[in-house]
Amino acid sequence: MAERTFRIWRGNKDGGEFVEYKIDVGPGWVVLDCIHRIQMQHATDLACRWNCKAGKCGSCSMEINGKPRLGCMTRMNSLPDGPITIQPLKTFPLVKDLVTDVKWNYEQNKRIPPFKPKARNADGTHRMMQEDVDRVQEFRKCIECFLCQDVCHVLRDHKAHDQFVGPRFMIRLASLEMHPLDTEDRVEKMRKEFGTGWCNITRCCTEVCPEHIGITDNGIIPMKERVVDRYFDPIAWFLGKVFGKK
Amino acid sequence: MGNGPDIHELQTIEHDVIVIGAGGAGLRAAIECSRQGLNTGLVCKSLLGKAHTVMAEGGMAAAMGNVDSRDGWKIHFRDTMRGGKFLNNWRMAELHAKEAPDRVRELEEWGAVFDRTKDGLISQRNFGGHRYPRLAHVGDRTGLELIRSLQDYGVHSGIHVHMECTALDLMKDGDRVCGALAYWRDTGRFVLFRAKAVILATGGIGKAWRITSNSWEYTGDGLAMAYLAGAELLDLEFTQFHPTGMVWPPSVRGTLVTEGVRGDGGILLNSEHKRFMFNYISPRFAPETAASEEEANRWLAGDKSARRPPELLTRDEVARAINAEVKAGRGSEHGGVYLDIASRLPAEVIKKKLPSMYHQFKELAEVDITRQPMEVGPTLHYHMGGILVDAESQMTTVPGLFAAGECGAGLHGANRLGGNSLSDLLVFGRRAGIGAAEYIRSLTVSPQVNAEQVQAGIRRATDILNRDSGTNPFVIQDQLQDMMGKNVGIIRTKSELETALGELEKFKAEAARVKAHATSQYNAGWHTALDLRNLLIASEAVAKAALTREESRGAHTREDFPGERDEWLKYNVIIRRGRDGEMVVEKRERKPGPAPLVEIANSKIEDLESGKVGADYK
Ligand SMILES: Cc1cc2nc3c(=O)[nH]c(=O)nc-3n(C[C@H](O)[C@H](O)[C@H](O)COP(=O)(O)OP(=O)(O)OC[C@H]3O[C@@H](n4cnc5c(N)ncnc54)[C@H](O)[C@@H]3O)c2cc1C
Ligand code: SF4
Ligand code: SF4
Ligand code: FES
């Protein structure tokens, strides 16, 4: 047990401040364990989302020492000595303490035209080879932690929430467009409504993804290319010229 | 909202049906309600997509026969009955085995992408107690695939989703259900849902124990609300301890290690490096279990004449064996046993087949499972007992109140087979939706909410905030978990169960004085305090039922009554609320199963497969 100091953002939309807490940290603890201990000992009303405590549900997203991370997968011994700063996600409106209002993300999902499968084979099956679904399965690993949405400058700095659905929903679109059974066409919407052109491939989203999904290279760039095949997107066009198509 | 809340000022939302819980069962029920033309509301404590179902790893059981064509519904049914030690509801076990394959196909139709066989079909993996490879899966993240597919399909089918909204009490008009009182977590404000029918899909009760694979949501809300509304509860003594939870470091003690590790060849070793499961094969399973390591290895390599390794016995058997090894002083460094996959499969295959286990041990325990064994031990995982329902419609004993998924009961009997829950959610979630629609169509007048019930619910909740001083809810929950672990654990005795009941009286008194500080907005302490009532009802009901059943069967082990007693196979243990609010326990005689089903369940496997038994039964 060693004592550690935490600076946690406390407040709601009317304002707030960092509050300092000191607790003894046990072996193997992650940041979420520390938050639970703080709730129990010092601040029973501290707001924080969590469910699985194993990196599977994407509830416990927060900014730890300035980096968007999962509280339940951030081990205390991976953080440098000194006080640890914990803040809510910046890109979404604050509800209270470490909890933000992420409803906007659910609205984006609703806008995406749903999966439309082709007919089953005569024997009642759908046949798909494993290698043809590997890529789609990679995208479907997404746990909707929204860390990528938090870090994407289009949303974080430019606040273009009404124009770009963000990396999470770009790979949702990719998972539908690359699904071997799907028959829907979302390319026009991707350009006009979902804002494919906004992404300038900084790869910040890929860096923070706890599921290690190749968001930019495997998802967004191929989608940009599909758009480019039909319309004109200067960045994808440039990439295509310089690096060749994937 | 002071002490005499005016219910006209209360936010009111009206639906035909309200589904409480948005895991697999709730989502599937809501989708069905919507398809049946009902105006459907769906309420959940967390954000959509975060329910327990998302954590399920290994897969969902359905006898599709894609990997071994000898599989079929009768074999799945037989496995389920044997795993449940014959205490299962016969009709539910039959419906489940018959309908599960259609539910898997339907999920595929809604966008789910399961792992494939070489022929491009849905692949199926081996799991404890299942005779053939039967679990449709996606690596070790099947629950995520299931919940996301339902969620993505559901949001386009007109369901009204109310997230981060917690139901407090069910509302009744006479003996019928007519809605639920709830509060929004983000504001702490109350909301009244008026509805002609309510479907409970609230999951389990794991938070009554410290060492558990379950999250904060599992406080038995549905169970307690149903109980208070007058519904009967069934066989609550059957709480499943999964044999393999993490044991080290302490902060992750209880976190699940999927049975898929053993399904893919993982073996259990004690501190002497002995594969001890060969010493724990019970007579019931001996004819179908490998007698030597050599035979077990042949089975794994695909030899169809070999029998399954003993690591794949049912969960109750494996959990008890681990418990016995540790007690005998042959445990691992931190009080578990070793689960070894590293010496069984190449590193690349492990990473491909069990990616999230690899990740979980690497990040949380600094253990590389492709090189080192894992340390594992039993963890409270699942509740077989729950709300008593009608097998076909899922209606409880309260008209208009339905239950599906883990909070319901009947399918799994005394012990659930791995993978039978995800299929349960879809099969009976759908049936609950149909059941609710039929019930609503049969109503002639709409039930009405009674203002006093609403006010009582609001008062109970606000008292916790308004009290001047009181106990810390987190501390009570913590002590309760300790007490339940000690006295209502994996091995039970009369005296410990009686101690538990005595302690629970003290906890109840303490909980009546619980205090939450600050405002009602997103207040973790207040939420925990509100959940305490439910957790205590669930704990007391489990302890009472466990005390009543004087035998050891499946997940319920009584040290003072070892072994299954034929006499007890004739009874269910029913719990309900008495006239004066006291908890009543009843030992109720079971109806005998239909003859053809009894015959199939008890048949020799060769006779079932050759058609000597059960061939005419469709
Ligand atoms: C780690 C883990 C791995 C598992 N792996 C497998 C597996 O491989 N195969 C398998 O078959 N089973 C598995 N299980 C079991 C299975 O996942 C669960 O039994 C199943 O998902 C339960 O589903 P459900 O729909 O009944 O409830 P849940 O998915 O738990 O959902 C409960 C819902 O009810 C809501 N709720 C609860 N109380 C209230 C309230 N008061 N007001 C409003 N909403 C409320 C919650 O918010 C939640 O939305 C696993 C379980 C765990 C924990
Ligand atoms: S790569 Fe695109 S989507 Fe990802 S962070 Fe950068 S701009 Fe945003
Ligand atoms: S893509 Fe990765 S970072 Fe983005 S929401 Fe999904 S899991 Fe989180
Ligand atoms: S609590 Fe589920 S990802 Fe952290």
Side-chain angles (χ1 to χ4, degrees), chain A residues 44 50-51 56-57 75 140, chain B residues 145 216 360 363-364 525:
Chain A
T44 51
W50 70 282
N51 282 71
K56 295 198 171 82
C57 72
R75 278 173 73 98
R140 294 182 68 86
Chain B
E145 190 67 20
W216 66 271
Q360 180 173 314
E363 313 246 323
L364 297 175

Side-chain angles (χ1 to χ4, degrees), chain B residues 241-560:
Chain B
F241 290 84
H242 193 291
T244 60
M246 292 174 80
V247 299
W248 188 260
S251 61
V252 294
R253 190 160 193 140
T255 301
L256 193 76
V257 181
T258 177
E259 193 165 315
V261 177
R262 283 170 284 138
D264 289 338
I267 53 173
L268 291 165
L269 301 171
N270 62 21
S271 60
E272 296 162 2
H273 295 281
K274 291 248 160 59
R275 203 170 157 183
F276 58 84
M277 279 308 301
F278 284 98
N279 305 335
Y280 294 92
I281 304 169
S282 63
R284 175 177 288 150
F285 291 104
E288 291 164 38
T289 307
S292 67
E293 295 196 26
E294 181 271 329
E295 183 180 359
N297 289 338
R298 271 197 289 121
W299 177 87
L300 197 65
D303 178 346
K304 292 196 171 178
S305 69
R307 293 167 300 177
R308 338 167 28 85
E311 277 84 3
L312 291 178
L313 287 170
T314 56
R315 289 178 176 175
D316 51 331
E317 319 247 347
V318 182
R320 268 193 305 272
I322 293 177
N323 202 60
E325 285 295 306
V326 175
K327 267 203 174 154
R330 293 188 293 272
S332 65
E333 190 184 346
H334 302 105
V337 294
Y338 297 106
L339 173 59
D340 171 38
I341 185 84
S343 72
R344 314 275 300 165
L345 287 176
E348 285 322 303
V349 179
I350 298 174
K351 284 190 206 167
K352 171 85 188 144
K353 285 193 159 180
L354 301 162
S356 76
M357 281 305 107
Y358 173 72
H359 208 58
Q360 180 173 314
F361 272 89
K362 189 112 201 171
E363 313 246 323
L364 297 175
E366 291 174 343
V367 165
D368 179 350
I369 67 167
T370 67
R371 298 171 42 184
Q372 296 158 273
M374 300 161 245
E375 264 188 90
V376 296
T379 179
L380 189 110
H381 183 57
Y382 184 86
H383 200 195
M384 275 75 65
I387 306 163
L388 176 69
V389 291
D390 173 69
E392 314 274 338
S393 71
Q394 300 293 106
M395 185 139 89
T396 67
T397 49
V398 173
L401 183 63
F402 297 76
E406 189 171 340
C407 73
L411 170 61
H412 308 292
N415 174 59
R416 171 178 73 95
L417 296 185
N420 267 1
S421 170
L422 294 185
S423 39
D424 168 10
L425 308 182
L426 299 182
V427 167
F428 294 104
R430 170 177 164 276
R431 284 188 161 267
I434 298 171
E438 277 171 6
Y439 167 81
I440 289 173
R441 281 194 285 270
S442 76
L443 283 180
T444 46
V445 285
S446 286
Q448 294 304 315
V449 171
N450 162 320
E452 267 170 41
Q453 288 176 24
V454 179
Q455 282 162 343
I458 293 178
R459 212 170 296 121
R460 175 179 75 86
T462 46
D463 277 354
I464 297 171
L465 289 163
N466 293 338
R467 212 162 270 148
D468 290 330
S469 65
T471 337
N472 178 335
F474 290 107
V475 173
I476 304 187
Q477 199 197 60
D478 198 55
Q479 291 171 347
L480 173 70
Q481 291 172 341
D482 238 12
M483 191 284 287
M484 289 294 284
K486 267 192 210 110
N487 298 307
V488 194
I490 183 163
I491 310 285
R492 300 161 176 176
T493 64
K494 178 165 193 250
S495 71
E496 283 174 353
L497 291 167
E498 281 170 350
T499 307
L501 288 169
E503 291 288 315
L504 280 166
E505 289 307 312
K506 292 186 213 155
F507 278 109
K508 280 197 262 179
E510 195 76 7
R513 288 192 299 269
V514 65
K515 158 85 186 151
H517 292 274
T519 66
S520 63
Q521 191 195 14
Y522 222 114
N523 182 336
W526 188 44
H527 302 162
T528 304
L530 287 168
D531 293 343
L532 269 179
R533 174 198 73 185
N534 303 330
L535 209 48
L536 287 168
I537 290 175
S539 302
E540 182 179 350
V542 170
K544 286 214 158 119
L547 189 59
T548 308
R549 184 171 288 275
E550 296 187 325
E551 67 162 345
S552 297
R553 180 179 298 275
H556 171 68
T557 307
R558 285 283 299 263
E559 200 171 58
D560 41 359

Side-chain angles (χ1 to χ4, degrees), chain A residues 142-148 168 171 208-211 213 215:
Chain A
C142 170
I143 55 173
E144 297 207 320
C145 64
F146 307 132
L147 291 176
C148 56
R168 156 61 187 135
I171 60 149
V208 298
C209 176
E211 287 291 313
I213 300 170
I215 304 178

Side-chain angles (χ1 to χ4, degrees), chain A residues 73 79 170 224:
Chain A
M73 293 305 275
L79 299 173
M170 285 307 302
K224 275 175 161 296

Side-chain angles (χ1 to χ4, degrees), chain B residues 21-25 45 52-53 56-59 167 217-218 221 382 406 419 421-422:
Chain B
K45 275 168 131 176
H52 246 84
T53 299
E57 294 163 356
E217 290 199 314
Y218 266 19
D221 297 3
Y382 184 86
E406 189 171 340
S421 170
L422 294 185

Side-chain angles (χ1 to χ4, degrees), chain A residues 233-245:
Chain A
D233 171 339
I235 294 165
W237 175 81
F238 171 76
L239 280 176
K241 277 256 178 252
V242 180
F243 301 109
K245 284 212 171 154

